[in-house]
Amino acid sequence: QDLEALEEELKQLEEEEAQLDAEVPSAVSTPFAEGDRVVTLENLGDISAGQQGSVVEVDKDGDIKVLFDGQTEAQLIFHVDFDTLALAGAMPTPSAPSVEKKYLTHEGACDLLEALASAYDDPGFQRQVSKLCRDVRWNVKEFTAHLPKVALEVQR
């Protein structure tokens, strides 16, 4: 009887968990969907740049599994590495003009950080951020969605 009671309780807990999973929307979005063809823009582990594959799974954390051409096992690609992938049809054409890369020096980075720190210390900006907190009723998700609009003004 104890075993039957435990099995029944386990079944009930699994049903509750499934119901909660169905009710909670995924907070992570991903630019890729199952079936998308992707290509690596640079070396990613043992996958070389330019290799193509198909997205076979998108998990609830926003990470994807890609089955690269010529391989038998799908590779897990974490969302932090998505900048190394592109949709296969979205690859820039070779005839597109190349963009010259710009580099930030250590001194330039220090100057930029000092300017941002000074801008963020401005009492007017601090009041705007405080007002935004109150306006969104301390909702972190809404705050982070609206903060770039407020911060962009002082970053210019």
Side-chain angles (χ1 to χ4, degrees):
Q1 284 181 340
D2 290 336
L3 182 59
E4 289 177 10
L6 287 173
E7 287 176 344
E8 184 62 34
E9 186 178 342
L10 178 62
K11 183 179 177 182
Q12 185 178 3
L13 287 172
E14 288 174 343
E15 289 173 0
E16 289 174 7
E17 182 181 16
Q19 187 177 15
L20 285 174
D21 285 344
E23 291 174 3
V24 177
S26 176
V28 181
S29 65
T30 176
F32 305 108
E34 286 184 27
D36 283 350
R37 291 287 296 167
V38 295
V39 61
T40 55
L41 301 174
E42 56 188 66
N43 292 344
L44 183 62
D46 61 344
I47 309 299
S48 57
Q51 196 164 355
Q52 293 191 14
S54 297
V55 177
V56 293
E57 183 183 332
V58 178
D59 68 18
K60 62 184 175 185
D61 295 329
D63 304 323
I64 61 174
K65 282 190 177 180
V66 178
L67 181 59
F68 287 98
D69 297 347
Q71 294 194 345
T72 57
E73 189 174 320
Q75 302 289 321
L76 177 63
I77 310 292
F78 294 107
H79 64 276
V80 296
D81 293 320
F82 283 177
D83 59 340
T84 64
L85 296 176
L87 290 172
M91 286 294 294
T93 59
S95 62
S98 63
V99 177
E100 185 178 330
K101 291 184 178 182
K102 294 183 180 183
Y103 296 93
L104 182 62
T105 64
H106 184 272
E107 184 179 323
C110 289
D111 292 343
L112 180 60
L113 287 173
E114 287 175 15
L116 285 172
S118 174
Y120 294 152
D121 283 339
D122 179 64
F125 174 71
Q126 301 254 333
R127 281 191 299 274
Q128 283 182 306
V129 171
S130 295
K131 182 180 182 322
L132 177 60
C133 286
R134 290 188 305 273
D135 289 348
V136 298
R137 296 192 170 126
W138 291 269
N139 180 311
V140 174
K141 202 175 214 179
E142 284 190 48
F143 176 80
T144 55
H146 290 85
L147 182 61
K149 299 170 193 163
V150 174
L152 184 60
E153 292 303 315
V154 297
Q155 291 173 356
R156 290 181 184 188

PDB file of all heavy atoms in Angstrom, residues 15 93 104 120 143 151:
ATOM      1  N   GLU A  15       2.275  15.498 -12.818  1.00  0.00           N
ATOM      2  CA  GLU A  15       1.199  16.218 -13.506  1.00  0.00           C
ATOM      3  C   GLU A  15       1.218  17.696 -13.155  1.00  0.00           C
ATOM      4  O   GLU A  15       1.047  18.556 -14.026  1.00  0.00           O
ATOM      5  CB  GLU A  15      -0.163  15.603 -13.149  1.00  0.00           C
ATOM      6  CG  GLU A  15      -0.402  14.246 -13.762  1.00  0.00           C
ATOM      7  CD  GLU A  15      -1.681  13.578 -13.253  1.00  0.00           C
ATOM      8  OE1 GLU A  15      -2.400  14.170 -12.418  1.00  0.00           O
ATOM      9  OE2 GLU A  15      -1.965  12.455 -13.701  1.00  0.00           O
ATOM     10  N   THR A  93      27.090  38.175 -49.012  1.00  0.00           N
ATOM     11  CA  THR A  93      27.623  37.710 -50.284  1.00  0.00           C
ATOM     12  C   THR A  93      29.069  38.171 -50.416  1.00  0.00           C
ATOM     13  O   THR A  93      29.438  39.225 -49.917  1.00  0.00           O
ATOM     14  CB  THR A  93      26.797  38.269 -51.462  1.00  0.00           C
ATOM     15  OG1 THR A  93      26.845  39.691 -51.395  1.00  0.00           O
ATOM     16  CG2 THR A  93      25.358  37.805 -51.379  1.00  0.00           C
ATOM     17  N   LEU A 104      39.298  49.695 -30.299  1.00  0.00           N
ATOM     18  CA  LEU A 104      39.296  50.589 -29.160  1.00  0.00           C
ATOM     19  C   LEU A 104      40.583  50.349 -28.385  1.00  0.00           C
ATOM     20  O   LEU A 104      40.875  49.226 -27.971  1.00  0.00           O
ATOM     21  CB  LEU A 104      38.075  50.294 -28.276  1.00  0.00           C
ATOM     22  CG  LEU A 104      37.863  51.165 -27.056  1.00  0.00           C
ATOM     23  CD1 LEU A 104      37.643  52.621 -27.475  1.00  0.00           C
ATOM     24  CD2 LEU A 104      36.646  50.679 -26.286  1.00  0.00           C
ATOM     25  N   TYR A 120      26.523  58.814 -15.602  1.00  0.00           N
ATOM     26  CA  TYR A 120      25.623  58.057 -14.733  1.00  0.00           C
ATOM     27  C   TYR A 120      25.543  58.645 -13.333  1.00  0.00           C
ATOM     28  O   TYR A 120      24.577  58.420 -12.614  1.00  0.00           O
ATOM     29  CB  TYR A 120      26.044  56.589 -14.661  1.00  0.00           C
ATOM     30  CG  TYR A 120      25.912  55.847 -15.972  1.00  0.00           C
ATOM     31  CD1 TYR A 120      26.725  54.756 -16.261  1.00  0.00           C
ATOM     32  CD2 TYR A 120      24.982  56.223 -16.935  1.00  0.00           C
ATOM     33  CE1 TYR A 120      26.609  54.065 -17.455  1.00  0.00           C
ATOM     34  CE2 TYR A 120      24.865  55.547 -18.124  1.00  0.00           C
ATOM     35  CZ  TYR A 120      25.672  54.468 -18.390  1.00  0.00           C
ATOM     36  OH  TYR A 120      25.557  53.788 -19.572  1.00  0.00           O
ATOM     37  N   PHE A 143      11.674  47.219 -16.227  1.00  0.00           N
ATOM     38  CA  PHE A 143      12.740  48.201 -16.015  1.00  0.00           C
ATOM     39  C   PHE A 143      13.860  48.009 -17.028  1.00  0.00           C
ATOM     40  O   PHE A 143      14.294  48.951 -17.682  1.00  0.00           O
ATOM     41  CB  PHE A 143      13.280  48.084 -14.588  1.00  0.00           C
ATOM     42  CG  PHE A 143      14.443  48.993 -14.322  1.00  0.00           C
ATOM     43  CD1 PHE A 143      14.241  50.334 -14.052  1.00  0.00           C
ATOM     44  CD2 PHE A 143      15.744  48.512 -14.341  1.00  0.00           C
ATOM     45  CE1 PHE A 143      15.304  51.185 -13.804  1.00  0.00           C
ATOM     46  CE2 PHE A 143      16.815  49.348 -14.104  1.00  0.00           C
ATOM     47  CZ  PHE A 143      16.603  50.695 -13.822  1.00  0.00           C
ATOM     48  N   ALA A 151      18.995  55.558 -20.703  1.00  0.00           N
ATOM     49  CA  ALA A 151      20.451  55.599 -20.658  1.00  0.00           C
ATOM     50  C   ALA A 151      21.055  56.133 -21.960  1.00  0.00           C
ATOM     51  O   ALA A 151      22.112  56.771 -21.935  1.00  0.00           O
ATOM     52  CB  ALA A 151      21.001  54.205 -20.362  1.00  0.00           C
TER      53      ALA A 151
END
